[in-house]
Amino acid sequence: MGSIYSRRQFVIGAMVLGGSLALTGCAPQPESKKADGAPTQGEATQADIVVIGSGLAGLACSASAAQQGAKVILVDKAPFLTSTFLTSKGNVSIAQVAENQADWRYDSETPDTMDAFTGRYRELTEIGKVDAPYPDYSRMQHLMEESCATIAWVEQMGISFEKSFTKEMVGTDTVKPDTSADPSTEAGVQVVNVFAAELERLGVQTMVSTEAKELIMDGDAVVGVKVEGPSGAQELRAGSVVLATGGFGGSADYCDSLVPAINKMGFQYLGNAMNTGDGMTMASAIGAALYEDPWVIPNVIMPTRALTKADVGFKKLCDTGMDGAATSAKMLVDAKGARFVNEAAPVTALATSMTDNEAGPYYVLFDSSNADVTAVIEKGLSTGDVLKADTVDELAAAAGAAELAGSFEAYQQAAATGADEAFGKKADMLVPYGDGPFYLVSFVPSYVATMGGVKTDASCQAITESGAVIPGLFVVGEATHRFMYNRSFVRHCSNSSALTMGRLTGAALATA
């Protein structure tokens, strides 16, 4: 089967998603495919399993169940499959421990054990730790023990993976799709193409541009879902319904109620605007519990919405942007002009510190040493989120930031000596400032996903506040992955857990 994606569909997709995907890069989008034999309005259709949402978890669940002979219907409100993953580089974390040695993807530089893996994982996820019963290390370990088998399973569908990062680099061994045969196509697109071909081969009925509205109950059991799509309102009946609807980052209401700092501070959401907590809404309406202490998965700190709206170039003023703009090599200060964190620390540390300190607005200090960077910054002066002055003293006065001059002097001295005694920034990141004019540019955290969702047990079955399972209702992926983390995510483990949750849940439901 050829690719189901085209450049034209990317433009259409970005418009449908409110442009959110455009913030993280460009990749082709899938063409909409209407399901064969789709029911007409008012007609109920029977399946073994209905999966709501076609992200990595939903695709994996649908394919795995269908491979075991189940009749599967896959529903997504977007006009194409897997909108969130299409711009991804495709990195997936794996745990190459003795429990899964038969499926190792490459030889580790040094031996690993689950105890060692968990120790690294704990250190990463407990940055900015909160008093919450997460992660559930037992569940995390089980998913990671299955991670190599998951990659082997995906490879059987027609795409190979290669080494990306090692545990010495990012805390977990990581693989990514081998795109050498088609380097012009994003890795995420190639993965989705493989899954789409497998679903077509297996006869999975896909219903795009179709929104799940309400779960259907028979007593205390979920027996289907009401949907609305091109054919009108329909009922899909099934022995099991799987929610794979993603997080809540696209819902201002959920953000306000669950993580008030998002809208209070103006976090930039770089994820899928269609991830509006639909699964949470449907599940909680029938008594399912939602996870406490929800949070976000940060990406980078970046200029405010007012600035990125003023000029697209502001999106490049970050560590992954243009030369000379890396914030990790600059000063990040609070409203008083004081440094409060190692700017080169993991972005999770920056995001949690900015939120917990409640000392905003926060600014990154720029000089005029890079003409391209300065040209971008100048375009934001009219917004009020950029302040400019010839000297740092004058800038401090303009911003009402009484500690800025002292912070600047101390930073310049640290850069000269290579020793940041205040926050421990490494010498190679202590880049001294050049000549003015100087600029304070307002920065906020950005995030690509949320931690939260519907509470589930070890089998990904939805549960009530009392811990009782809800018959017929299962949840996978970002719609339930709060149990994977405390306050900070572990790089590429969300992709890993989504694929493995989907694979294991689909197979279990099909063979139950």
PDB file of all heavy atoms in Angstrom, residues 328-357:
ATOM      1  N   SER A 328      19.052  28.423  27.209  1.00  0.00           N
ATOM      2  CA  SER A 328      19.859  27.733  28.221  1.00  0.00           C
ATOM      3  C   SER A 328      21.200  28.418  28.441  1.00  0.00           C
ATOM      4  O   SER A 328      21.850  28.203  29.462  1.00  0.00           O
ATOM      5  CB  SER A 328      20.080  26.270  27.811  1.00  0.00           C
ATOM      6  OG  SER A 328      20.707  26.204  26.539  1.00  0.00           O
ATOM      7  N   ALA A 329      21.634  29.259  27.489  1.00  0.00           N
ATOM      8  CA  ALA A 329      22.905  29.967  27.615  1.00  0.00           C
ATOM      9  C   ALA A 329      22.706  31.424  28.005  1.00  0.00           C
ATOM     10  O   ALA A 329      23.620  32.236  27.878  1.00  0.00           O
ATOM     11  CB  ALA A 329      23.686  29.886  26.304  1.00  0.00           C
ATOM     12  N   LYS A 330      21.516  31.750  28.514  1.00  0.00           N
ATOM     13  CA  LYS A 330      21.212  33.120  28.889  1.00  0.00           C
ATOM     14  C   LYS A 330      20.652  33.176  30.310  1.00  0.00           C
ATOM     15  O   LYS A 330      20.526  32.148  30.979  1.00  0.00           O
ATOM     16  CB  LYS A 330      20.221  33.732  27.887  1.00  0.00           C
ATOM     17  CG  LYS A 330      20.824  33.888  26.491  1.00  0.00           C
ATOM     18  CD  LYS A 330      19.831  34.421  25.510  1.00  0.00           C
ATOM     19  CE  LYS A 330      20.528  34.755  24.194  1.00  0.00           C
ATOM     20  NZ  LYS A 330      21.221  33.596  23.613  1.00  0.00           N
ATOM     21  N   MET A 331      20.306  34.369  30.750  1.00  0.00           N
ATOM     22  CA  MET A 331      19.693  34.563  32.053  1.00  0.00           C
ATOM     23  C   MET A 331      18.183  34.469  31.943  1.00  0.00           C
ATOM     24  O   MET A 331      17.567  35.115  31.093  1.00  0.00           O
ATOM     25  CB  MET A 331      20.050  35.941  32.625  1.00  0.00           C
ATOM     26  CG  MET A 331      21.431  36.066  33.216  1.00  0.00           C
ATOM     27  SD  MET A 331      21.774  37.787  33.740  1.00  0.00           S
ATOM     28  CE  MET A 331      20.366  38.145  34.788  1.00  0.00           C
ATOM     29  N   LEU A 332      17.571  33.680  32.820  1.00  0.00           N
ATOM     30  CA  LEU A 332      16.123  33.650  33.000  1.00  0.00           C
ATOM     31  C   LEU A 332      15.850  34.254  34.364  1.00  0.00           C
ATOM     32  O   LEU A 332      16.363  33.781  35.377  1.00  0.00           O
ATOM     33  CB  LEU A 332      15.603  32.214  32.930  1.00  0.00           C
ATOM     34  CG  LEU A 332      14.117  31.998  33.258  1.00  0.00           C
ATOM     35  CD1 LEU A 332      13.228  32.676  32.216  1.00  0.00           C
ATOM     36  CD2 LEU A 332      13.796  30.501  33.342  1.00  0.00           C
ATOM     37  N   VAL A 333      15.037  35.315  34.394  1.00  0.00           N
ATOM     38  CA  VAL A 333      14.814  36.030  35.649  1.00  0.00           C
ATOM     39  C   VAL A 333      13.327  36.191  35.920  1.00  0.00           C
ATOM     40  O   VAL A 333      12.489  36.106  35.017  1.00  0.00           O
ATOM     41  CB  VAL A 333      15.491  37.420  35.629  1.00  0.00           C
ATOM     42  CG1 VAL A 333      16.990  37.280  35.439  1.00  0.00           C
ATOM     43  CG2 VAL A 333      14.887  38.305  34.536  1.00  0.00           C
ATOM     44  N   ASP A 334      13.014  36.441  37.192  1.00  0.00           N
ATOM     45  CA  ASP A 334      11.624  36.686  37.575  1.00  0.00           C
ATOM     46  C   ASP A 334      11.302  38.169  37.458  1.00  0.00           C
ATOM     47  O   ASP A 334      12.106  38.960  36.933  1.00  0.00           O
ATOM     48  CB  ASP A 334      11.354  36.150  38.980  1.00  0.00           C
ATOM     49  CG  ASP A 334      12.208  36.811  40.054  1.00  0.00           C
ATOM     50  OD1 ASP A 334      12.733  37.924  39.820  1.00  0.00           O
ATOM     51  OD2 ASP A 334      12.346  36.224  41.148  1.00  0.00           O
ATOM     52  N   ALA A 335      10.137  38.553  37.944  1.00  0.00           N
ATOM     53  CA  ALA A 335       9.692  39.937  37.789  1.00  0.00           C
ATOM     54  C   ALA A 335      10.616  40.934  38.484  1.00  0.00           C
ATOM     55  O   ALA A 335      10.695  42.100  38.084  1.00  0.00           O
ATOM     56  CB  ALA A 335       8.271  40.084  38.330  1.00  0.00           C
ATOM     57  N   LYS A 336      11.334  40.486  39.509  1.00  0.00           N
ATOM     58  CA  LYS A 336      12.268  41.370  40.212  1.00  0.00           C
ATOM     59  C   LYS A 336      13.633  41.429  39.541  1.00  0.00           C
ATOM     60  O   LYS A 336      14.500  42.184  39.960  1.00  0.00           O
ATOM     61  CB  LYS A 336      12.435  40.902  41.655  1.00  0.00           C
ATOM     62  CG  LYS A 336      11.172  41.019  42.505  1.00  0.00           C
ATOM     63  CD  LYS A 336      11.433  40.553  43.925  1.00  0.00           C
ATOM     64  CE  LYS A 336      10.180  40.667  44.781  1.00  0.00           C
ATOM     65  NZ  LYS A 336      10.425  40.197  46.166  1.00  0.00           N
ATOM     66  N   GLY A 337      13.828  40.572  38.522  1.00  0.00           N
ATOM     67  CA  GLY A 337      15.121  40.537  37.847  1.00  0.00           C
ATOM     68  C   GLY A 337      16.086  39.556  38.461  1.00  0.00           C
ATOM     69  O   GLY A 337      17.292  39.587  38.156  1.00  0.00           O
ATOM     70  N   ALA A 338      15.601  38.640  39.311  1.00  0.00           N
ATOM     71  CA  ALA A 338      16.466  37.677  39.993  1.00  0.00           C
ATOM     72  C   ALA A 338      16.460  36.334  39.267  1.00  0.00           C
ATOM     73  O   ALA A 338      15.401  35.857  38.834  1.00  0.00           O
ATOM     74  CB  ALA A 338      16.013  37.488  41.428  1.00  0.00           C
ATOM     75  N   ARG A 339      17.633  35.739  39.132  1.00  0.00           N
ATOM     76  CA  ARG A 339      17.700  34.355  38.659  1.00  0.00           C
ATOM     77  C   ARG A 339      17.125  33.446  39.744  1.00  0.00           C
ATOM     78  O   ARG A 339      17.211  33.746  40.945  1.00  0.00           O
ATOM     79  CB  ARG A 339      19.139  33.936  38.363  1.00  0.00           C
ATOM     80  CG  ARG A 339      19.771  34.611  37.161  1.00  0.00           C
ATOM     81  CD  ARG A 339      21.216  34.152  37.005  1.00  0.00           C
ATOM     82  NE  ARG A 339      21.305  32.751  36.598  1.00  0.00           N
ATOM     83  CZ  ARG A 339      22.329  31.937  36.856  1.00  0.00           C
ATOM     84  NH1 ARG A 339      23.358  32.386  37.589  1.00  0.00           N
ATOM     85  NH2 ARG A 339      22.338  30.690  36.422  1.00  0.00           N
ATOM     86  N   PHE A 340      16.550  32.317  39.340  1.00  0.00           N
ATOM     87  CA  PHE A 340      15.949  31.410  40.314  1.00  0.00           C
ATOM     88  C   PHE A 340      16.159  29.941  39.961  1.00  0.00           C
ATOM     89  O   PHE A 340      15.722  29.056  40.698  1.00  0.00           O
ATOM     90  CB  PHE A 340      14.442  31.677  40.422  1.00  0.00           C
ATOM     91  CG  PHE A 340      13.709  31.567  39.107  1.00  0.00           C
ATOM     92  CD1 PHE A 340      13.102  30.377  38.714  1.00  0.00           C
ATOM     93  CD2 PHE A 340      13.656  32.650  38.240  1.00  0.00           C
ATOM     94  CE1 PHE A 340      12.451  30.283  37.494  1.00  0.00           C
ATOM     95  CE2 PHE A 340      12.989  32.561  37.022  1.00  0.00           C
ATOM     96  CZ  PHE A 340      12.385  31.378  36.643  1.00  0.00           C
ATOM     97  N   VAL A 341      16.881  29.658  38.862  1.00  0.00           N
ATOM     98  CA  VAL A 341      17.052  28.292  38.421  1.00  0.00           C
ATOM     99  C   VAL A 341      18.241  28.231  37.473  1.00  0.00           C
ATOM    100  O   VAL A 341      18.640  29.248  36.881  1.00  0.00           O
ATOM    101  CB  VAL A 341      15.764  27.797  37.696  1.00  0.00           C
ATOM    102  CG1 VAL A 341      15.596  28.487  36.347  1.00  0.00           C
ATOM    103  CG2 VAL A 341      15.754  26.276  37.518  1.00  0.00           C
ATOM    104  N   ASN A 342      18.825  27.052  37.350  1.00  0.00           N
ATOM    105  CA  ASN A 342      19.849  26.810  36.330  1.00  0.00           C
ATOM    106  C   ASN A 342      19.159  26.780  34.971  1.00  0.00           C
ATOM    107  O   ASN A 342      18.383  25.865  34.682  1.00  0.00           O
ATOM    108  CB  ASN A 342      20.550  25.480  36.620  1.00  0.00           C
ATOM    109  CG  ASN A 342      21.579  25.096  35.563  1.00  0.00           C
ATOM    110  OD1 ASN A 342      21.664  25.697  34.488  1.00  0.00           O
ATOM    111  ND2 ASN A 342      22.360  24.065  35.852  1.00  0.00           N
ATOM    112  N   GLU A 343      19.424  27.749  34.138  1.00  0.00           N
ATOM    113  CA  GLU A 343      18.725  27.861  32.857  1.00  0.00           C
ATOM    114  C   GLU A 343      18.999  26.694  31.919  1.00  0.00           C
ATOM    115  O   GLU A 343      18.240  26.469  30.971  1.00  0.00           O
ATOM    116  CB  GLU A 343      19.115  29.174  32.164  1.00  0.00           C
ATOM    117  CG  GLU A 343      18.700  30.430  32.905  1.00  0.00           C
ATOM    118  CD  GLU A 343      19.740  30.916  33.905  1.00  0.00           C
ATOM    119  OE1 GLU A 343      20.704  30.151  34.180  1.00  0.00           O
ATOM    120  OE2 GLU A 343      19.599  32.045  34.408  1.00  0.00           O
ATOM    121  N   ALA A 344      20.069  25.946  32.157  1.00  0.00           N
ATOM    122  CA  ALA A 344      20.400  24.793  31.323  1.00  0.00           C
ATOM    123  C   ALA A 344      19.876  23.479  31.913  1.00  0.00           C
ATOM    124  O   ALA A 344      20.192  22.405  31.401  1.00  0.00           O
ATOM    125  CB  ALA A 344      21.909  24.706  31.127  1.00  0.00           C
ATOM    126  N   ALA A 345      19.090  23.586  32.972  1.00  0.00           N
ATOM    127  CA  ALA A 345      18.486  22.388  33.561  1.00  0.00           C
ATOM    128  C   ALA A 345      17.431  21.818  32.607  1.00  0.00           C
ATOM    129  O   ALA A 345      17.007  22.496  31.664  1.00  0.00           O
ATOM    130  CB  ALA A 345      17.862  22.728  34.905  1.00  0.00           C
ATOM    131  N   PRO A 346      16.979  20.581  32.832  1.00  0.00           N
ATOM    132  CA  PRO A 346      15.906  20.043  31.989  1.00  0.00           C
ATOM    133  C   PRO A 346      14.696  20.961  31.990  1.00  0.00           C
ATOM    134  O   PRO A 346      14.405  21.633  32.983  1.00  0.00           O
ATOM    135  CB  PRO A 346      15.586  18.697  32.653  1.00  0.00           C
ATOM    136  CG  PRO A 346      16.842  18.310  33.360  1.00  0.00           C
ATOM    137  CD  PRO A 346      17.447  19.609  33.833  1.00  0.00           C
ATOM    138  N   VAL A 347      14.002  20.997  30.869  1.00  0.00           N
ATOM    139  CA  VAL A 347      12.870  21.914  30.753  1.00  0.00           C
ATOM    140  C   VAL A 347      11.813  21.627  31.812  1.00  0.00           C
ATOM    141  O   VAL A 347      11.080  22.529  32.227  1.00  0.00           O
ATOM    142  CB  VAL A 347      12.262  21.834  29.334  1.00  0.00           C
ATOM    143  CG1 VAL A 347      11.614  20.485  29.078  1.00  0.00           C
ATOM    144  CG2 VAL A 347      11.253  22.959  29.120  1.00  0.00           C
ATOM    145  N   THR A 348      11.732  20.382  32.282  1.00  0.00           N
ATOM    146  CA  THR A 348      10.783  20.076  33.346  1.00  0.00           C
ATOM    147  C   THR A 348      11.098  20.884  34.599  1.00  0.00           C
ATOM    148  O   THR A 348      10.195  21.356  35.291  1.00  0.00           O
ATOM    149  CB  THR A 348      10.812  18.577  33.675  1.00  0.00           C
ATOM    150  OG1 THR A 348      12.172  18.175  33.885  1.00  0.00           O
ATOM    151  CG2 THR A 348      10.230  17.758  32.540  1.00  0.00           C
ATOM    152  N   ALA A 349      12.398  21.058  34.879  1.00  0.00           N
ATOM    153  CA  ALA A 349      12.791  21.848  36.041  1.00  0.00           C
ATOM    154  C   ALA A 349      12.448  23.318  35.840  1.00  0.00           C
ATOM    155  O   ALA A 349      12.019  24.011  36.773  1.00  0.00           O
ATOM    156  CB  ALA A 349      14.288  21.686  36.311  1.00  0.00           C
ATOM    157  N   LEU A 350      12.624  23.817  34.630  1.00  0.00           N
ATOM    158  CA  LEU A 350      12.288  25.208  34.353  1.00  0.00           C
ATOM    159  C   LEU A 350      10.794  25.441  34.502  1.00  0.00           C
ATOM    160  O   LEU A 350      10.362  26.415  35.132  1.00  0.00           O
ATOM    161  CB  LEU A 350      12.743  25.592  32.938  1.00  0.00           C
ATOM    162  CG  LEU A 350      14.222  25.417  32.605  1.00  0.00           C
ATOM    163  CD1 LEU A 350      14.505  25.970  31.217  1.00  0.00           C
ATOM    164  CD2 LEU A 350      15.114  26.097  33.631  1.00  0.00           C
ATOM    165  N   ALA A 351       9.999  24.558  33.908  1.00  0.00           N
ATOM    166  CA  ALA A 351       8.542  24.731  33.946  1.00  0.00           C
ATOM    167  C   ALA A 351       7.999  24.657  35.366  1.00  0.00           C
ATOM    168  O   ALA A 351       7.154  25.464  35.768  1.00  0.00           O
ATOM    169  CB  ALA A 351       7.866  23.686  33.072  1.00  0.00           C
ATOM    170  N   THR A 352       8.481  23.681  36.146  1.00  0.00           N
ATOM    171  CA  THR A 352       7.985  23.550  37.511  1.00  0.00           C
ATOM    172  C   THR A 352       8.457  24.714  38.378  1.00  0.00           C
ATOM    173  O   THR A 352       7.694  25.223  39.215  1.00  0.00           O
ATOM    174  CB  THR A 352       8.422  22.214  38.140  1.00  0.00           C
ATOM    175  OG1 THR A 352       9.849  22.082  38.055  1.00  0.00           O
ATOM    176  CG2 THR A 352       7.781  21.034  37.431  1.00  0.00           C
ATOM    177  N   SER A 353       9.683  25.171  38.168  1.00  0.00           N
ATOM    178  CA  SER A 353      10.181  26.295  38.959  1.00  0.00           C
ATOM    179  C   SER A 353       9.410  27.571  38.640  1.00  0.00           C
ATOM    180  O   SER A 353       9.042  28.326  39.548  1.00  0.00           O
ATOM    181  CB  SER A 353      11.676  26.508  38.693  1.00  0.00           C
ATOM    182  OG  SER A 353      12.437  25.414  39.153  1.00  0.00           O
ATOM    183  N   MET A 354       9.165  27.811  37.367  1.00  0.00           N
ATOM    184  CA  MET A 354       8.424  29.013  36.978  1.00  0.00           C
ATOM    185  C   MET A 354       7.014  28.983  37.562  1.00  0.00           C
ATOM    186  O   MET A 354       6.487  30.008  38.007  1.00  0.00           O
ATOM    187  CB  MET A 354       8.369  29.118  35.457  1.00  0.00           C
ATOM    188  CG  MET A 354       9.727  29.386  34.822  1.00  0.00           C
ATOM    189  SD  MET A 354       9.733  29.234  33.003  1.00  0.00           S
ATOM    190  CE  MET A 354       9.000  30.808  32.525  1.00  0.00           C
ATOM    191  N   THR A 355       6.414  27.804  37.592  1.00  0.00           N
ATOM    192  CA  THR A 355       5.057  27.678  38.120  1.00  0.00           C
ATOM    193  C   THR A 355       5.037  27.791  39.639  1.00  0.00           C
ATOM    194  O   THR A 355       4.228  28.539  40.207  1.00  0.00           O
ATOM    195  CB  THR A 355       4.454  26.325  37.701  1.00  0.00           C
ATOM    196  OG1 THR A 355       4.481  26.224  36.280  1.00  0.00           O
ATOM    197  CG2 THR A 355       3.019  26.203  38.189  1.00  0.00           C
ATOM    198  N   ASP A 356       5.927  27.063  40.292  1.00  0.00           N
ATOM    199  CA  ASP A 356       5.894  26.993  41.750  1.00  0.00           C
ATOM    200  C   ASP A 356       6.330  28.298  42.408  1.00  0.00           C
ATOM    201  O   ASP A 356       5.846  28.649  43.491  1.00  0.00           O
ATOM    202  CB  ASP A 356       6.773  25.849  42.240  1.00  0.00           C
ATOM    203  CG  ASP A 356       6.243  24.482  41.816  1.00  0.00           C
ATOM    204  OD1 ASP A 356       5.088  24.410  41.373  1.00  0.00           O
ATOM    205  OD2 ASP A 356       7.001  23.492  41.914  1.00  0.00           O
ATOM    206  N   ASN A 357       7.245  29.034  41.769  1.00  0.00           N
ATOM    207  CA  ASN A 357       7.727  30.283  42.372  1.00  0.00           C
ATOM    208  C   ASN A 357       6.676  31.380  42.369  1.00  0.00           C
ATOM    209  O   ASN A 357       6.711  32.284  43.207  1.00  0.00           O
ATOM    210  CB  ASN A 357       8.973  30.779  41.631  1.00  0.00           C
ATOM    211  CG  ASN A 357      10.205  29.966  41.957  1.00  0.00           C
ATOM    212  OD1 ASN A 357      10.217  29.192  42.900  1.00  0.00           O
ATOM    213  ND2 ASN A 357      11.248  30.131  41.161  1.00  0.00           N
TER     214      ASN A 357
END
